[in-house]
Amino acid sequence: MMSELRKDLVSGRWVIIATERSKRPDDFRPRGAAAPAPEAVGFCPFCEGNEGKTPPEVFSLRAAGTAPDSPGWTVRVVPNKFPALNPGPPPPRATQGVFQSMEGRGVHEVVIENPDHALELSDLPVAHIREVLRVFQLRIRAIECDLHYQYVQIFKNKGKEAGASLSHPHSQIVATPIIPKRVKEEIYGADRLFRVFKECAFCRILRDEEAAGKRIIVQNGQFTAFAPYASRFPFEMTIYPKRHSAFFTDVREDELLSLAGTLKHVLTRLKETVNDPPFNMVLHQAPNPALSLKGWPDIHLKSHWHLEIIPILTKVAGFEWGTGFYINPIPPETGAQFLRGD
Amino acid sequence: MKKKILLVEDERALCLLYEEELGKEYDITAVTDAEAALAKLGETAFDLIITDIRMPGKNGIELITQIMGLRKDIPIIINSAYQSYKDDFMTWAADAYVVKSSSLDELKARIKQLLGE
């Protein structure tokens, strides 16, 4: 069977679905095996009881009567102890010939998802995952009050190959004083397609995916998880809210629980199907509403927040860096089929 | 009495420089690898540890992780030529991360701060 070139609608990125090289989940298992934790000798700065080794918490969910920076928490947020970006207003950009630079201003926080080192996000009860998601919302709202921060990025690196230096389950929040290039590209793509479809491109994609059905992994009344048509990576997944919304902070209380259930389901299926692979989870959303509504007055109509989960099972190498093409050896229809458990 | 500092640094020239610069105020014990550092920790009650990261054998992050298993109360300063290790959350076991520079001012300031001087 010939390979197939597929185009991602919003980014315009092309992907080679190399069907003749198609593999089964078992083919990826050796790489998926968890590497020994670097902290295996017994110390972890994120574990309960070691609060003194982190900077003072900026937020926590904790038992009544327990003091900040002491045991008794369920979710804890701390600033990065040795951050690459420091808080504060961004100074003017400097130029050296044709080159531009600015001081590294921004926010970098770590969300410690639970006090138990061994409990991954997918192992937690749905109600606890909802609390982690709620904490994301609270921190985004708090950070976006400072209009210097134009974009808040939430992401999770799980496993050494995905960039995690510590196996204690955690996510990270980085807020930047500029709107990152990929976020802009997504906005421009959504804007272009809005003019074509006369509706949000993501809503249209979701409708078409649900109609096709073959890439759907799981859905409920509020969320749909599917393998994107032009998936770059084996078992790549995305979770879309069915209710159109540009900002993650707009997710309602009842929706948070539903999202937590969907997230637990897909992460558990990934763990079971591909032997607990390393992965990156990334939140896509519109920039700081206060600013983006000024620059893009109808961005709330065109942008559509979603979660992207990328298992690290293949290597990005010269061809991908040089061309922007990706080669995916597992068609998303096959990936979704395995993840559904058909 | 001078406070005791354990310096873990594989470059002997740097050990000599630090001993000269810091030795006026502190009692410096310099070792060139993690194993020697762990042996010294068993012999002497140090007030502070300064460690490099890239060293032959066990690296500085492995060393401080091991120290945490023995004693969590000794202030530790990571002193590396590389910023990139800041991405490793295990460096949080240390109390400060000072990138090596031709000036020792920042290192001296951090020592004073962590020793409460």
Side-chain angles (χ1 to χ4, degrees), chain B residues 96-109:
Chain B
Y97 191 122
V98 179
V99 177
K100 283 177 185 170
S101 131
S102 54
S103 161
L104 295 185
D105 290 350
E106 190 190 350
L107 182 64
K108 287 176 180 173

Side-chain angles (χ1 to χ4, degrees), chain B residues 48-59:
Chain B
L48 186 140
I49 300 166
I50 301 170
T51 181
D52 191 6
I53 292 183
R54 277 202 193 182
M55 296 183 289
K58 217 172 265 178
N59 70 31

Side-chain angles (χ1 to χ4, degrees), chain A residues 130-141:
Chain A
R130 178 193 56 191
E131 293 308 297
V132 174
L133 297 170
R134 195 206 312 271
V135 169
F136 290 165
Q137 285 187 313
L138 293 168
R139 290 313 302 154
I140 293 169
R141 281 194 197 109

Side-chain angles (χ1 to χ4, degrees), chain B residues 3-115:
Chain B
K3 290 196 171 160
K4 295 184 174 65
I5 293 179
L6 176 62
L7 172 68
V8 193
E9 170 58 64
D10 64 319
E11 284 187 45
R12 291 190 183 278
L14 273 182
C15 286
L16 289 173
L17 172 71
Y18 284 22
E19 280 173 324
E20 194 178 307
E21 282 287 321
L22 304 174
K24 297 161 199 158
E25 287 183 72
Y26 307 104
D27 182 0
I28 307 289
T29 301
V31 294
T32 55
D33 63 65
E35 291 303 339
L38 289 166
K40 286 285 179 196
L41 278 166
E43 297 166 7
T44 309
F46 290 99
D47 298 293
L48 186 140
I49 300 166
I50 301 170
T51 181
D52 191 6
I53 292 183
R54 277 202 193 182
M55 296 183 289
K58 217 172 265 178
N59 70 31
I61 294 175
E62 291 169 303
L63 170 65
I64 59 175
T65 308
Q66 210 161 339
I67 293 170
M68 288 297 108
L70 305 169
R71 276 184 63 181
K72 286 185 193 169
D73 58 336
I74 310 179
I76 299 174
I77 299 175
I78 288 175
N79 189 221
S80 168
Y82 302 91
Q83 289 267 10
S84 55
Y85 290 105
K86 287 183 176 179
D87 292 341
D88 187 333
F89 288 128
M90 279 310 292
T91 59
W92 287 27
D95 299 276
Y97 191 122
V98 179
V99 177
K100 283 177 185 170
S101 131
S102 54
S103 161
L104 295 185
D105 290 350
E106 190 190 350
L107 182 64
K108 287 176 180 173
R110 286 306 215 162
I111 293 170
K112 283 193 185 302
Q113 181 197 2
L114 290 169
L115 291 176

Side-chain angles (χ1 to χ4, degrees), chain A residues 208-223:
Chain A
D208 280 13
E209 286 291 0
E210 287 177 346
K214 54 191 174 184
R215 285 177 294 276
I216 302 291
I217 299 160
V218 67
Q219 61 176 320
N220 56 34
Q222 292 160 315
F223 294 92

Side-chain angles (χ1 to χ4, degrees), chain A residues 107-324:
Chain A
V107 171
H108 191 169
E109 296 178 350
V110 177
V111 180
I112 309 171
E113 294 160 3
N114 83 87
D116 188 332
H117 191 95
L119 281 184
E120 249 307 323
L121 193 58
S122 59
D123 301 326
L124 299 173
V126 172
H128 191 125
I129 298 174
R130 178 193 56 191
E131 293 308 297
V132 174
L133 297 170
R134 195 206 312 271
V135 169
F136 290 165
Q137 285 187 313
L138 293 168
R139 290 313 302 154
I140 293 169
R141 281 194 197 109
I143 292 166
E144 284 181 340
C145 284
D146 185 337
L147 299 186
H148 291 121
Y149 303 122
Q150 299 195 3
Y151 193 74
V152 182
Q153 177 67 66
I154 305 251
F155 63 97
K156 176 177 174 67
N157 302 333
K158 192 230 165 207
K160 200 174 170 188
E161 295 87 346
S165 56
L166 200 58
S167 61
H168 192 126
H170 64 281
S171 306
Q172 298 181 59
I173 303 173
V174 175
T176 53
I178 50 171
I179 299 173
K181 182 175 178 288
R182 286 207 176 155
V183 177
K184 276 187 182 165
E185 284 171 355
E186 192 166 296
I187 293 170
Y188 295 150
D191 185 54
R192 176 176 46 81
L193 292 167
F194 189 87
R195 289 197 294 273
V196 175
F197 297 144
K198 314 290 184 211
E199 66 170 325
C200 162
F202 299 93
C203 289
R204 177 67 181 270
I205 290 169
L206 184 57
R207 210 165 56 238
D208 280 13
E209 286 291 0
E210 287 177 346
K214 54 191 174 184
R215 285 177 294 276
I216 302 291
I217 299 160
V218 67
Q219 61 176 320
N220 56 34
Q222 292 160 315
F223 294 92
T224 302
F226 61 96
Y229 172 73
S231 292
R232 292 156 292 173
F233 304 102
F235 305 102
E236 181 177 334
M237 297 186 276
T238 188
I239 301 175
Y240 276 30
K242 288 178 192 270
R243 180 173 70 83
H244 174 83
S245 173
F247 306 104
F248 184 70
T249 46
D250 285 346
V251 180
R252 297 186 305 238
E253 187 63 29
D254 60 313
E255 292 172 327
L256 271 188
L257 189 65
S258 175
L259 175 61
T262 308
L263 187 56
K264 181 177 173 77
H265 180 90
V266 297
L267 292 180
T268 303
R269 287 300 302 150
L270 183 67
K271 194 172 182 176
E272 291 169 355
T273 308
V274 203
N275 197 25
D276 199 11
F279 68 83
N280 298 113
M281 183 170 81
V282 179
L283 173 67
H284 290 239
Q285 62 166 347
N288 189 337
L291 294 159
S292 55
L293 290 175
K294 276 186 198 167
W296 292 285
D298 47 5
I299 197 165
H300 59 293
L301 301 174
K302 299 170 181 174
S303 191
H304 192 122
W305 78 264
H306 56 281
L307 278 176
E308 185 177 63
I309 298 162
I310 298 169
I312 308 299
L313 298 162
T314 51
K315 280 193 173 164
V316 173
F319 178 67
E320 286 85 350
W321 288 122
T323 61

